[in-house]
Amino acid sequence: MDKLVWYGCYKDSWRGRIVPESMLHTAKMSYGLLRRLVLHGLTQSWWRTGDTILDPFGGIGSTSLIAMQSGLNTILIELEEHWKNLAQYNINYYMTRFPGTQHQLLLGDSRHAYDLVTRTLNSVITSPPFTPPSRPASPSDSRAGSKYTLESLH
């Protein structure tokens, strides 16, 4: 396997791109990382326009917001109704600018995704793990912001 190293994935912010209240979510997927991941997946033919991606931790809808700009559909599972509602608001706003894709938000526990999701999926994207508050971030942690490493399947 080739190792793919990406730098600068944490420079961009969601600020100004989503409803301000969404910024309060503590585990938002990095805008730059998610954007780069979706574009890389398309160029590597991991998925094609019209494919459906599952995000089992839907949060504020970030996966849908990036996916729809590339013609990808999404299914999001979110445990908390408050975040699901904000995700729906963000998705509705983006759909006015990027119509033509489908985005389903499910309220539920992603441990039961098999029972919740009824459509065929092409892929799963979810945020990288976050450092527990009990220990500081180290340079190798994904949230430290210096780089993110993916092991390529090719």
Side-chain angles (χ1 to χ4, degrees), residues 9-10 30 33 127-131 137-149:
C9 295
Y10 293 85
S30 162
L33 173 61
S127 57
F130 292 89
T131 303
S138 70
S140 62
D141 285 337
S142 61
R143 79 173 193 167
S146 59
K147 68 178 181 177
Y148 185 77
T149 303

Side-chain angles (χ1 to χ4, degrees), residues 7-138:
Y7 293 93
C9 295
Y10 293 85
K11 290 180 181 178
D12 293 328
S13 170
W14 284 104
R15 193 167 310 283
R17 293 182 167 105
I18 54 177
V19 61
E21 190 177 351
S22 296
M23 293 300 293
L24 298 175
H25 195 285
T26 58
K28 290 178 297 304
M29 171 80 97
S30 162
Y31 175 83
L33 173 61
L34 184 55
R35 188 168 173 272
R36 192 173 289 179
L37 181 60
V38 168
L39 294 175
H40 182 75
L42 287 165
T43 61
Q44 295 297 307
S45 299
W46 294 347
W47 48 78
R48 293 184 284 269
T49 300
D51 282 354
T52 300
I53 296 172
L54 170 68
D55 184 344
F57 307 107
I60 58 161
S62 54
T63 299
S64 293
L65 305 182
I66 298 296
M68 73 175 62
Q69 295 176 53
S70 298
L72 298 167
N73 304 307
T74 59
I75 298 173
L76 307 180
I77 301 172
E78 176 50 46
L79 184 61
E80 298 183 41
E81 189 168 11
H82 173 74
W83 299 120
K84 178 188 174 281
N85 292 340
L86 282 173
Q88 188 65 65
Y89 184 88
N90 287 322
I91 289 169
N92 289 346
Y93 172 69
Y94 269 65
M95 288 295 291
T96 63
R97 296 172 25 206
F98 305 101
T101 53
Q102 299 175 3
H103 306 278
Q104 182 180 11
L105 284 135
L106 304 172
L107 184 63
D109 188 332
S110 62
R111 292 177 293 180
H112 306 291
Y114 184 81
D115 297 323
L116 295 170
V117 177
T118 58
R119 292 183 11 214
T120 300
L121 301 172
N122 301 96
S123 187
V124 176
I125 293 179
T126 191
S127 57
F130 292 89
T131 303
S134 61
R135 72 178 172 93
S138 70

Side-chain angles (χ1 to χ4, degrees), residues 1-2 46 151-154:
M1 270 190 244
D2 295 329
W46 294 347
E151 293 293 328
S152 174
L153 299 176
H154 302 284

